[in-house]
Structure formats: C-alpha cells, structure tokens
Amino acid sequence: MSVAQVFEKLEQNFNADAAAGLDLVFQFDIEDAGTYHLVINDGTCKLVEGANDDPSVTLIMNSDTLKGIVSGETDGMQAFMAGQLRAEGDMMLATKLGELFSMG
C-alpha cells in the first residue's frame, strides 16, 4: 500500500461525529514519502498533499510506521515511546487521532 493509499484509507475511516466543532490541522511529515496534512473542520475531513502554513500538530515518522499505525499493527503511543514517531506542536491533539479515525 502506498502512502497516498494509506491517507485515503484514513480519510475513508473518518468519524465525523467525533470532529463536530473542531478546527484542526494534522500534518504528517513522512520522512521517506513527503508531507501531507488533514484539515478537520466541524465534522469534515480534507486530505491535502504538501505542508500547511500553521498546523495544529505535526507528526514525523517513516512510511512503515505510518502504515503500521493506520493498519492497527502498531500502537501510536508505543511508536512514540520507541522514537519511531515524533510530534511537534500540540502533542495532546495526536491522541485525538484514534477518536477521529477508526484504525485497523
């Protein structure tokens, strides 16, 4: 599965109810596959290729870590503790990803 397909899967598994009233930008710097960001705005989710000027949180990882987290094989918190995932910005927002997207 390509990184673009992983993000398409994330977008398809979006939980609009959990995003009601939110206005956030999750940026993903995939070290070996480019940068993408998800714009969450009051129950909608839009995937954009490239960087955002003012992301709420930026998650930095390689494509294997991303694929593992989205497939449910890798726990995001364990990846963070193991140094496979880094976060910049509002790190508490990273914990919301599990609520906003059904993984696995």
Side-chain angles (χ1 to χ4, degrees):
M1 190 183 302
S2 74
V3 167
Q5 289 169 315
V6 171
F7 281 112
E8 286 168 16
K9 181 177 177 181
L10 252 184
E11 204 174 17
Q12 290 163 2
N13 293 332
F14 178 64
N15 178 353
D17 293 340
L22 295 180
D23 185 11
L24 306 169
V25 176
F26 289 96
Q27 183 157 296
F28 297 83
D29 284 347
I30 310 304
E31 295 164 326
D32 53 351
T35 301
Y36 297 81
H37 62 276
L38 291 167
V39 179
I40 312 291
N41 191 334
D42 197 23
T44 64
C45 173
K46 182 177 167 219
L47 174 65
V48 182
E49 195 167 344
N52 182 280
D53 290 337
D54 189 23
S56 309
V57 63
T58 300
L59 302 171
I60 304 153
M61 68 196 91
N62 66 26
S63 57
D64 287 342
T65 302
L66 173 72
K67 291 172 189 173
I69 291 171
V70 172
S71 71
E73 291 170 27
T74 303
D75 178 71
M77 189 54 73
Q78 287 177 338
F80 181 78
M81 296 298 187
Q84 298 168 321
L85 167 64
R86 298 189 313 279
E88 295 175 355
D90 188 342
M91 293 164 105
M92 290 311 295
L93 288 177
T95 62
K96 277 200 160 307
L97 280 173
E99 298 167 30
L100 294 171
F101 300 94
S102 53
M103 309 285 186

